[in-house]
Amino acid sequence: MSKRASFEIAGEQIAAGTRRTVNIPVSTLSDHTPVTLSAHVIHGRREGPTIFVSAGIHGDEVIGVEIVRRLLRTKNLKSLHGTLIVVPIVNTFGFLNHSRYLPDRRDLNRCFPGSPNGSLASRLAHIFMEEIVLRCSLGIDLHSAAVHRTNLPQMRVSASNKKTLALAKEFGAPVILTSALRDGSLRQEAKKIGVDVLLYEAGEGMRFDEMSVRAGVAGILRVLKAVKMLRVAGIAKPKARSILCSNSNWLRAPAGGLLRMFKSEGDLVEEGDVVAAISDPFGDDEIDVITRYSGIIVGRAMMPIVHEGDALLHVAAVQSADLAEAAVDDLATQLEEAPLFDEDEII
């Protein structure tokens, strides 16, 4: 068998059967500190696809960084077919500042494909597209809810894309939401050049959530196995089928005050259910929050202080309540049965 050619990225060569972290120059801070886009490349000995896994496009979404860290430590990657490019933190500026945005307040996920001569966000988007996305046939992009919100582990895919839908089912999150491509998003611009992107949403901004992290690591390994990049035993299939949801709605606060939530992510609700209560600090006035939608809660607010109109619960419609409940319960059981990580492995 002829030896596989080296993988070239940012002017560096990674030999087959090796792995290396490559630092791609991005910018320089005002104090002359260099900023790079750091990518860890695992170039397998055998031929196969080239896939990227990215996290931290929004700097406060740290859960993806932890998923990537654990992924890179899995022994399964030693037998990788093809090439895996892993970028733990795309938006270094936001990550260091605990912010979703770039220093100029731009959302990086609305700036693709970017430009080499545009804003800082546009330049970073351009570098990511040129150095990472263009080398790949598939991507897995990791996200969480914003600060003070949390998401049930879920996949986001386009309704018309059968390939990403099939891979999302292999991933095994309890819920798959079909969502339209947004202008300037990584998913949209990658699709224009023929690269499909799976989007994983789970957990809360600036927080680690053990179940969401485990679901993310397990899901990525399942996708790598589905595309034949991993051909090893021990990567368990999900115990229940993901629930496909084609529409969802946010339930908003009817008034401002102190919020007491009666439901959580993964719970099923029926139209007319009292899901929360909002009261004033003295307890004189209290308003029940009644859902106008039936379905499964895929996201919720975490802050007990709310203003009128604030988003409280994200409810996705389901065809079968029994199947939805089974999917969430089976995921929790499967992840609880997995070996526990020691504290120094989590933080």
Side-chain angles (χ1 to χ4, degrees), residues 250-285:
W250 274 99
L251 182 67
R252 296 186 176 274
L258 303 179
L259 173 70
R260 289 181 291 122
M261 193 78 75
F262 306 145
K263 295 290 185 178
S264 187
E265 62 276 16
D267 287 346
L268 295 166
V269 294
E270 296 287 341
E271 182 180 355
D273 284 354
V274 177
V275 292
I278 297 173
S279 63
D280 66 80
F282 305 100
D284 294 332
D285 297 314

Side-chain angles (χ1 to χ4, degrees), residues 240-259:
R241 289 183 298 171
S242 301
I243 304 304
L244 182 62
C245 303
S246 58
N247 63 81
S248 64
N249 293 279
W250 274 99
L251 182 67
R252 296 186 176 274
L258 303 179
L259 173 70

Side-chain angles (χ1 to χ4, degrees), residues 88-141:
I89 304 166
V90 179
N91 179 4
T92 301
F93 304 93
F95 184 80
L96 293 176
N97 291 317
H98 304 169
S99 171
R100 178 182 180 89
Y101 305 107
L102 275 294
D104 58 5
R105 295 292 298 169
R106 283 183 169 85
D107 183 336
L108 181 58
N109 210 26
R110 297 294 178 269
C111 294
F112 288 95
S115 164
N117 302 310
S119 66
L120 177 60
S122 184
R123 293 177 189 220
L124 177 55
H126 174 76
I127 291 169
F128 189 77
M129 290 291 291
E130 292 291 317
E131 295 290 351
I132 307 298
V133 179
L134 278 170
R135 288 176 162 82
C136 300
S137 58
L138 177 69
I140 304 173
D141 192 28

Side-chain angles (χ1 to χ4, degrees), residues 13 33 40 50 71 107 109 122 148 159 187 189 208 212 226 258 270 307 347:
Q13 302 288 329
T33 301
H40 190 81
T50 300
L71 173 69
D107 183 336
N109 210 26
S122 184
H148 305 318
R187 280 177 60 207
E189 296 306 321
F208 285 173
S212 296
L258 303 179
E270 296 287 341
H307 298 286
I347 297 175

Side-chain angles (χ1 to χ4, degrees), residues 149-218:
R149 293 183 188 170
T150 189
N151 281 334
L152 180 73
Q154 58 196 258
M155 300 300 293
R156 304 280 180 90
V157 297
S158 302
S160 60
N161 193 323
K162 293 182 179 179
K163 177 184 175 182
T164 54
L165 179 57
L167 290 175
K169 291 177 179 178
E170 292 286 347
F171 193 102
V175 169
I176 300 172
L177 283 172
T178 56
S179 60
L181 297 173
R182 292 194 174 189
D183 290 342
S185 69
L186 172 61
R187 280 177 60 207
Q188 182 188 64
E189 296 306 321
K191 183 61 181 175
K192 288 180 180 179
I193 59 173
V195 181
D196 289 313
V197 175
L198 294 169
L199 193 152
Y200 176 65
E201 285 269 7
E204 181 184 357
M206 294 307 301
R207 296 288 184 274
F208 285 173
D209 171 61
E210 181 66 13
M211 299 294 276
S212 296
V213 171
R214 291 190 187 193
V217 176

